[in-house]
Each structure stands twice: as C-alpha cells, then as structure tokens.
Amino acid sequence: MRTHVVDHPLVAHKLTTLRDARTDSPTFRRLADELVTLLAYEATRDVRTELVEIATPVAATTGVRLSHPRPLVVPIIRAGLGMLDGMVRLLPTAEVGFFGMIRDERTLEASTYANRVPEDLSGRQVYVLDPMLATGGTLVAAVRELLDRGADDITAICLLAAPEGVQRLERDLAGAPVTVVTGALDERLDDKGFIVPGLGDAGDRMYGTAG
C-alpha cells in the first residue's frame, strides 16, 4: 500500500479554512469541493489511457483518451457525497457508484447498509471518496468489498488521515493494490476515534447534524 500526502500550498490553505470551527457549512462544502479537485489531480496521475488518432485544425496527430473500462468513482455516503462533484469535474466520463456505510460509535467498526457498485470490477480503476481516514475501519471494509469484486487498482482520496488509520490499512490490506492520497497526515486519534487536530465530523460540517 502506498500513501501520498499532497504537498501544495493551495491544499494547505484550503485545509486551514476547513479546520476552522468558524467556517460555515456552505463555505465548508465549497472548499471541500475545490480541495478534492486538487487531490484528484494527483490521484489520477496514473489513470489508464489509450492512444487515439485525431485531426486538429492544422494537422493529424496522436493523442490519448481514457481507456475502457472507464474509471469508477465510489463515494462513501454521506460525507463522501460532498467530494463527488470535485472528482467528476476532473473525470467527467467516469462512472459513479456508492457505498452506504455506518460506523458503530462503540466498537468503531463499519458496516455496509447499501451499495451500488458493479459485481465485476475486473480491469477497473476505482477511486474511493472518504473525507476522513481515522480508525481505518470504514475504508478497509470498502476496499475489501471492491477487491472481492475483482478491482485491481484502488485509490482512496481523503481530505485528512490519521497515522492509526494508515497503519491499519497497511496491516489489514497488506499486498493489496491500494493507494491513499490525502491532504495531510495529522497527529493522532483521540479516545473517541476523531482525528486530532482534524476538522471535526466531516458529514456534520458539510450538511449539519440532521438525523
């Protein structure tokens, strides 16, 4: 497993505002959307392409286009939905699935209550959107499901990550074709499983506390 922390001043700038408790939900959503596009640029550096012959207004030339099968983008709802627009803006021809997952606040383990992902992912590059890599339980469960369906190239895009979450992925998914792209690797988790300094609950920050 490979972890890539994107070192860019615009990423750091937007993360700082996201962390600020005074940032309201509309601003948080907009900044998260912008940040995902920056992270997606790095995450898609190895997206699969194929050669294509085209004619410009001046001459014939050879270019590239995304190869088939198209990449699959899988947000983990609900917070992952806030990352979707920023991702498909960069990959407009990608297909979109989703996982509905919930974390037990007592055990910190994740369970799946809904999914819309193809049964056969052979040859598909998959991009998982999960804002916070905290304990790692949710992402491990999602990646295992994708691996079971034949995915052979999985990239998780996270706004923030904790060392404990990264270590769990390295332990539980050893040898799996997984890359984590994140805006920052924070200090630690607290006793409730929240990232420190973090930015709080990403879903609540994006959408409020309804439900």
Side-chain angles (χ1 to χ4, degrees), residues 118-172:
E119 288 295 329
D120 184 7
L121 295 174
S122 302
R124 300 286 293 269
Q125 285 181 295
V126 183
Y127 297 91
V128 182
L129 308 181
D130 190 13
M132 312 294 283
L133 173 50
T135 65
T138 299
L139 199 50
V140 165
V143 169
R144 281 177 171 163
E145 180 69 27
L146 296 170
L147 292 171
D148 288 344
R149 295 174 185 234
D152 64 0
D153 189 334
I154 301 169
T155 300
I157 301 176
C158 307
L159 303 181
L160 291 178
E164 294 91 336
V166 172
Q167 291 163 10
R168 178 167 181 180
L169 262 65
E170 291 173 342
R171 181 186 72 240
D172 292 1

Side-chain angles (χ1 to χ4, degrees), residues 6 27 34 39-40 45 91 105 110 127 131 148 156 165 178 184 191 205 210:
V6 178
T27 304
E34 294 171 359
L39 298 179
R45 189 172 292 277
L91 280 179
E105 296 304 326
Y127 297 91
D148 288 344
V178 178
D191 57 2
R205 297 290 306 276

Side-chain angles (χ1 to χ4, degrees), residues 98-117:
F98 71 81
F99 280 134
M101 308 188 80
I102 190 167
R103 186 176 76 162
D104 186 305
E105 296 304 326
R106 182 178 56 84
T107 66
L108 302 183
E109 293 301 312
S111 59
T112 303
Y113 62 85
N115 78 71
R116 182 75 174 182
V117 176

